[in-house]
Amino acid sequence: MGNLIKITPRDNVGIVAHLDGLPMGTDVGNGVVLSEAIPMGHKVALSDLSPGDEVLRYGEVIGHAAQPIRKGEWVIGDKITMPRPPDLNLLSKGEEIIDGPAPSISGYTFEGFRNRDGSVGTKNILAISTSVQCVAGMSRYVEEKIRRELLPRYPNVDDVVTISHHYGCGVAIDAPAAIIPIRTLQNIARNPNFGGEVLVIGLGCEKLRPERLFPPGQSTDHSPAGDLLYLQDERFRSFSDMVSGIMDLADRHLRRLNAKRRETCPASVLVVGMQCGGSDSFSGITGNPVAGFAADLIVRAGGTVFFSEVTEVRDAIHLLVRRASSVQVAEALIQEMAWYDDYLARGGADRSANPTPGNRRGGLSNVVEKALGSVAKSGTSPIIDVVGPGERVRKKGLNFVATPASDFVCGTLQLAAGMNLHVFITGRGTPYGLSVVPVVKVSSNSKLGSRWSDLIDFDAGPIAHGQKTIEEMGWELFHQLLAVASGDQKVAADRLGLHNDLVLFNPGPIT
Ligand code: CA
């Protein structure tokens, strides 16, 4: 509609596409004249609405009019009430399960670091895992020393990364929920970008004993068991003694990592985690559909894609269940939603705790509208499996990895699931980055894309103005992902060294 974006013919609201918004009196066509100035990304009523009438975007109900809304009026959050979430007990689990994936594509490759277990790294990193926060200062001290003194001797190693966290002691370690942070730490150590070279620093008196974290009997090619070091070990007679003990251990791992070289690998070994943060109303029109198109291409090339963020898919679960590849997968999806509903209820919260004030300023009225845009980044492939929080992926294809929507918690859990490349879509803007994997930041609007041109890796904004199609930009993003995975192109977060902390999801009690 020229100045407005209407997503499906059913919609009775349109989205202002113009970067500067539209002034009062603008004729947007079809007899709709704006009765007030409306900012970019916000909604315009395309017909008169009476209290209780459905407000439709993406062809779905995002709310009901809470008051009379005239055609041409700005539809902001408090003019509409939020619909109830889909009833998990009433979802169909099987009748509408979709067919197989779209036709496969072949011939797409990148240069990666092959591991003995078949996984492939997009970076070659030495990891220092820790069993407890008590050793965090020490491990960071050693990390800096390794970076300064050892890394220059090992040019094929990209970095050294400490996995520090607040877990490990002062926590109810045998509570049922403790399984989540514990398996997250175990599985992060198996991330493909660590190539199996992980050393573990423990204290000695903590609850989460390193041997519980990495049981010696379960040592595999890709497990760090055997390289545990306790600071309280009596063979260490001083701080400098401990430091040299860790440096020796690090040197052994670095030598092995340095022998690795990038090799040509098929795109089928990519494990791409999709996430959004700081979304706006454009996210569901530009950034997320482009990411979704690229996600489909990765899946069609035989690769693996994760989408996550339970609170941002909860209100679109009826659409996702239909895409489950089996009744079991549909049930697993519903089960993760139910677990999270309970988790929020125990904390006296519900899904309306999401969205943020920034999401609202970006034109998103409520979490229903946010969720309908959010799921677009999963593309259209069948959902092949559901991975619980902290678990490792089992199947190639599109996986739902159940995580909170919090950027750092989601990113951390996707790392544990085995992600080797991250796509992060933002409309409001965030300098988000992770040290373990490259994070390709996609802006949903060109206002952000140009203002933050040195922080954003890919601007999906041109779609909103009809300059490019989702398909064109989806292919562009796909090719950019291959270049980034190969190390040929550095993402902004890595170029600038902007890396967030890893944050464990601990739904269990602290003692
Ligand atoms: Ca997020």
Side-chain angles (χ1 to χ4, degrees):
M1 288 182 63
N3 288 320
L4 288 189
I5 297 170
K6 187 174 159 180
I7 301 182
T8 72
R10 272 189 85 200
D11 292 6
N12 55 14
V13 291
I15 310 300
V16 173
H18 201 282
L19 295 183
D20 300 320
L22 292 174
M24 187 173 88
T26 308
D27 184 343
V28 292
N30 292 353
V32 182
V33 176
L34 302 193
S35 57
E36 54 196 312
I38 302 182
M40 177 192 92
H42 283 254
K43 292 181 287 297
V44 181
L46 303 178
S47 56
D48 290 335
L49 298 169
S50 305
D53 281 355
E54 291 180 338
V55 179
L56 298 161
R57 183 182 172 186
Y58 303 105
E60 296 279 327
V61 179
I62 61 165
H64 296 92
Q67 61 189 71
I69 301 173
R70 308 284 300 174
K71 184 160 76 173
E73 209 179 301
W74 184 4
V75 183
I76 47 171
D78 51 12
K79 289 186 190 169
I80 65 178
T81 58
M82 189 160 71
R84 297 178 58 77
D87 186 336
L88 296 178
N89 298 312
L90 300 179
L91 292 174
S92 70
K93 291 172 249 174
E95 301 110 68
E96 293 172 280
I97 281 169
I98 62 162
D99 307 333
S104 60
I105 53 173
S106 60
Y108 297 97
T109 61
F110 72 103
E111 302 296 309
F113 297 99
R114 281 188 190 279
N115 297 317
R116 283 163 303 203
D117 69 350
S119 68
V120 172
T122 57
K123 289 188 180 186
N124 189 23
I125 295 174
L126 170 67
I128 304 176
S129 187
T130 59
S131 58
V132 65
Q133 173 65 22
C134 310
V135 305
M138 178 62 149
S139 42
R140 264 194 295 274
Y141 178 93
V142 182
E143 180 192 303
E144 274 313 309
K145 196 171 162 70
I146 293 170
R147 190 169 289 121
R148 224 171 32 240
E149 296 173 15
L150 296 182
L151 277 191
R153 305 213 306 260
Y154 299 110
N156 298 324
V157 181
D158 290 313
D159 205 358
V160 49
V161 168
T162 302
I163 305 163
S164 67
H165 55 87
H166 294 175
Y167 204 70
C169 212
V171 286
I173 200 133
D174 294 315
I179 185 73
I180 293 179
I182 293 174
R183 72 185 177 201
T184 303
L185 287 171
Q186 290 168 333
N187 286 329
I188 284 184
R190 300 169 72 197
N191 185 279
N193 285 7
F194 296 146
E197 301 294 341
V198 179
L199 62 98
V200 186
I201 303 179
L203 181 61
C205 59
E206 65 271 38
K207 274 186 169 176
L208 182 59
R209 304 283 303 162
E211 57 271 24
R212 175 162 172 179
L213 203 48
F214 302 110
Q218 292 172 21
S219 177
T220 64
D221 275 358
H222 214 73
S223 145
D227 261 338
L228 313 178
L229 184 144
Y230 295 97
L231 301 186
Q232 290 170 351
D233 188 332
E234 290 187 9
R235 79 187 155 100
F236 298 132
R237 311 214 142 237
S238 65
F239 169 76
S240 60
D241 235 17
M242 298 170 201
V243 172
S244 54
I246 302 169
M247 293 294 278
D248 285 349
L249 214 51
D251 197 60
R252 264 209 325 262
H253 288 285
L254 285 169
R255 232 173 298 151
R256 284 200 293 267
L257 285 172
N258 198 52
K260 302 183 82 148
R261 295 290 183 275
R262 286 190 188 267
E263 299 167 46
T264 303
C265 302
S268 59
V269 294
L270 282 175
V271 184
V272 182
M274 298 283 171
Q275 198 199 161
C276 10
S279 296
D280 69 356
S281 187
F282 275 23
S283 297
I285 303 169
T286 59
N288 291 343
V290 165
F293 194 93
D296 282 346
L297 293 176
I298 299 280
V299 170
R300 290 170 62 189
T304 304
V305 171
F306 301 158
F307 74 111
S308 295
E309 303 173 287
V310 174
T311 49
E312 292 176 13
V313 306
R314 175 66 179 85
D315 283 277
I317 190 65
H318 54 299
L319 307 174
L320 295 176
V321 163
R322 285 180 216 152
R323 288 172 51 197
S325 63
S326 69
V327 175
Q328 288 75 14
V329 171
E331 280 169 351
L333 273 171
I334 292 169
Q335 172 59 35
E336 289 297 344
M337 301 299 120
W339 186 91
Y340 217 92
D341 282 355
D342 274 1
Y343 167 71
L344 288 175
R346 280 202 303 279
D350 65 23
R351 72 208 215 288
S352 65
N354 189 338
T356 66
N359 294 149
R360 290 180 200 277
R361 273 197 299 278
L364 292 171
S365 293
N366 57 37
V367 73
V368 180
E369 186 179 12
K370 188 174 175 179
L372 291 166
S374 173
V375 296
K377 64 182 179 290
S378 68
T380 60
S381 304
I383 302 165
I384 202 82
D385 200 11
V386 174
V387 177
E391 283 180 349
R392 197 164 198 238
V393 67
R394 294 168 290 258
K395 290 183 181 168
K396 283 180 181 281
L398 178 67
N399 283 259
F400 180 68
V401 176
T403 78
S406 158
D407 297 349
F408 327 101
V409 180
C410 172
T412 301
L413 291 168
Q414 289 190 340
L415 287 176
M419 156 172 83
N420 56 17
L421 192 59
H422 204 13
V423 174
F424 189 95
I425 306 103
T426 182
R428 306 294 298 170
T430 156
Y432 176 82
L434 295 175
S435 52
V436 183
V437 295
V439 178
V440 177
K441 282 203 294 295
V442 175
S443 58
S444 70
N445 66 81
S446 297
K447 208 169 173 177
L448 176 68
S450 58
R451 209 172 74 233
W452 282 24
S453 62
D454 49 358
L455 277 170
I456 295 293
D457 300 293
F458 187 97
D459 178 25
I463 291 165
H465 313 289
Q467 292 152 347
K468 287 195 180 179
T469 65
I470 289 169
E471 185 175 346
E472 274 175 275
M473 295 216 86
W475 276 103
E476 281 177 31
L477 179 59
F478 175 71
H479 285 291
Q480 186 162 334
L481 293 181
L482 295 177
V484 167
S486 299
D488 291 340
Q489 194 177 331
K490 254 194 177 353
V491 295
D494 287 346
R495 213 170 49 232
L496 301 166
L498 305 179
H499 296 139
N500 287 102
D501 291 342
L502 298 183
V503 182
L504 290 183
F505 180 36
N506 175 27
I510 294 191
T511 61

